[in-house]
Amino acid sequence: MSVNPPALFAFDAHVSSLDDAVKLSQERSVTRLLSLAWHLRQRDCARASALTDEIESLLPGAGLTDVERSVTVARVRLIQAEIQALFAELDAAEALATEAIREFERVKDLAGIGDGYWLLASIWTDRGIESQVVKSLSAALQTYRLSGDRDRI
C-alpha cells in the first residue's frame, strides 16, 4: 500500500472505474476500498460508510506497516467526519476530524493534516464562527504548501 494521499477530487468516470475494479476483484484491497470510500464520501455517504466499516475489518490482516495503518485509519476517520458534517452532526464531525488530524500529525502526513483542517473550516463555516474558519483554512494552506501538493494548494 502506498501512503500517498488520494486525489482531493475525482471525475465521475474515474470513480466509476474504481468502483468497477472493486466490484470485479476477488481480493478486497484496502488501498482500493479506501480510495473508493474517499471519492464516495460526498456522492454516496451510505456506501462510503459501509466501505469504511469494511476497511476497518480488513486492517488486522492487511499486512500494512505501522505508518500505512495509521494513515489508513486517519483517512477513514476523515471520511467518517465528512459524512457526519454533511448530516449536520457537527460535534461528531469535529471530534473525528480532530482525531484524524492528530494521527496524520503523528505520522507527518502533511496532505492528510491539510485535508483535516479543510474539513474543520467547513464545520466552522456551518457553525458561523468566521475566526475559526480563517484559522483552519490558514492551517490547511500552510500544510499543503509544506507538502508540495499543487492540487491541494
Side-chain angles (χ1 to χ4, degrees), residues 10 16 24 40 94 104 112 135 138:
S16 180
L24 295 174
L40 290 176
E94 181 183 0
F104 283 132
K135 181 179 173 183
S138 294

Side-chain angles (χ1 to χ4, degrees), residues 84-102:
Q84 292 297 313
L86 289 170
F87 287 94
E89 296 293 339
L90 301 181
D91 290 340
E94 181 183 0
L96 287 163
T98 300
E99 180 183 340
I101 290 169
R102 284 189 191 126

